[in-house]
Amino acid sequence: MAKWGMVIDITKCNGCYNCFIACKDEYWDNDYPPYSAAQPRHGQAWIDLVKKERGVCPWIRVAYIPVLCMQCDNAPCVKAAKNRAVYKRPDGIVIIDPKKAVGQRQIVDACPYHAIFWNEEKQLPQKCTFCVQRLEQGKIPKCVQVCPSRAFVFGDLADPKSEVSRIVASKKAEAPKPGSRAKSRVYYIGVPKLFIAGSVVDAKSDECAEGVSVSLTKQSTGKSTGTSTNNFGDFEFDGLGTGKYSVKFECKGYKPRTVNVDLKTDKHLGVVKLTKRS
Ligand code: SF4
Ligand code: SF4
């Protein structure tokens, strides 16, 4: 039997909200018994986008993180429900029973990802079902179908040859942190971390210095990585953790230069000037 899972590549998401709108289209005013009751027109986002901004002018990075029910294997919402009102299907999908869950507001508070919404009119907790009614017809979830950027990879985690399994096995994707003991079946690529960036110029002419070799060394481990400046003299190392780093600039005919950074938040070094050897 398939065990459904999803990988979301944050670097591909452009924040178009197609997935959000498609989810509304599928669920607003539509009941899918016994899996879900109709979503209200306002106030619920079974898939939502969390906007994450990093850095300050002139170097800003913006990411949109699609957030939905993680279909946890050790789901706190299942434990919080009375009368088995929330249950996990053999295919991994967590369902809130739209009849049994009436009046059980504590289910909303149990989710560490804030993926459950309270329907005031129906007195019902509601959330994403991975579009189980579509899966049963051999279709893929609506959000996956409509994403123009192909940010979602959906498939069978029990099949080691499926694309979703291969990405998870490659360790390129990571499970979300809060509530990680919940054992998410949704993974992310490109979770925003920290960056060090800057611009390199010739000290005398102030011209952008293209092709400067820039190496980054984490002082605690000695591990290094490298890049070179582009035609604007810009460089960037992204995906970093906190800690102390050395950034070394080298270019033929110029004196090498090293800048030390104690990285606690995203850092733009400003303009780094290289001086010609005499
Ligand atoms: S993400 Fe929240 S709603 Fe979904 S299974 Fe996990 S605890 Fe339940
Ligand atoms: S449809 Fe795709 S690109 Fe658009 S917001 Fe959703 S995940 Fe991002």
Side-chain angles (χ1 to χ4, degrees):
M1 167 177 283
K3 298 269 186 192
W4 300 115
M6 182 184 274
V7 171
I8 301 175
D9 189 341
I10 296 166
T11 64
K12 290 184 176 171
C13 175
N14 58 23
C16 71
Y17 276 89
N18 263 15
C19 49
F20 170 88
I21 293 165
C23 181
K24 272 282 167 222
D25 180 54
E26 181 78 8
Y27 292 98
W28 172 60
D29 217 16
N30 289 325
D31 290 303
Y32 295 106
Y35 306 129
S36 56
Q39 193 182 111
R41 180 182 288 203
H42 301 293
Q44 295 200 9
W46 295 4
I47 182 162
D48 202 1
L49 294 183
V50 174
K51 187 175 167 189
K52 170 99 177 152
E53 285 180 19
R54 297 182 293 148
V56 290
C57 190
W59 204 273
I60 295 171
R61 291 278 174 262
V62 178
Y64 297 91
I65 307 172
V67 177
L68 68 173
C69 170
M70 305 289 154
Q71 313 295 346
C72 311
D73 279 346
N74 187 26
C77 61
V78 171
K79 292 175 193 157
K82 296 173 194 154
N83 196 26
R84 287 183 50 81
V86 187
Y87 63 94
K88 190 163 188 68
R89 289 166 38 112
D91 61 6
I93 298 174
V94 173
I95 297 290
I96 299 177
D97 186 307
K99 283 191 177 153
K100 287 184 180 173
V102 170
Q104 296 201 46
R105 189 158 195 151
Q106 80 283 2
I107 294 171
V108 175
D109 302 326
C111 176
Y113 302 104
H114 310 292
I116 307 178
F117 299 85
W118 183 246
N119 186 323
E120 191 63 38
E121 191 189 333
K122 296 186 170 110
Q123 293 289 293
L124 184 67
Q126 294 181 282
K127 70 165 190 72
C128 161
T129 64
F130 261 1
C131 285
V132 61
Q133 72 285 350
R134 290 172 58 86
L135 294 175
E136 287 179 349
Q137 295 170 5
K139 298 176 184 169
I140 54 177
K142 196 79 172 260
C143 56
V144 180
Q145 184 189 20
V146 302
C147 177
S149 308
R150 302 268 180 266
F152 301 101
V153 177
F154 182 83
D156 182 4
L157 284 170
D159 174 4
K161 290 187 184 146
S162 70
E163 189 181 0
V164 72
S165 290
R166 281 190 278 114
I167 296 171
V168 172
S170 73
K171 307 259 187 247
K172 277 189 202 150
E174 56 186 293
K177 283 271 158 35
S180 54
R181 275 182 302 177
K183 294 192 181 156
S184 167
R185 301 184 75 79
V186 176
Y187 298 81
Y188 288 94
I189 293 173
V191 174
K193 296 197 169 69
L194 299 178
F195 67 70
I196 295 174
S199 303
V200 185
V201 299
D202 176 293
K204 196 168 180 193
S205 67
D206 254 354
E207 292 275 337
C208 300
E210 182 182 359
V212 174
S213 161
V214 189
S215 59
L216 177 82
T217 305
K218 185 152 192 184
Q219 293 176 3
S220 61
T221 61
K223 208 171 161 192
S224 289
T225 183
T227 186
S228 56
T229 55
N230 63 17
N231 54 340
F232 298 108
D234 294 335
F235 71 92
E236 181 184 54
F237 296 99
D238 202 353
L240 305 175
T242 55
K244 293 185 176 171
Y245 293 86
S246 299
V247 190
K248 189 169 184 185
F249 302 89
E250 292 171 293
C251 187
K252 198 175 172 193
Y254 287 82
K255 293 178 187 168
R257 192 172 163 189
T258 300
V259 177
N260 291 319
V261 181
D262 187 0
L263 192 66
K264 293 180 175 132
T265 183
D266 300 288
K267 181 82 182 166
H268 188 265
L269 299 178
V271 174
V272 178
K273 298 192 175 192
L274 291 190
T275 311
K276 278 196 174 138
R277 291 180 194 275
S278 46

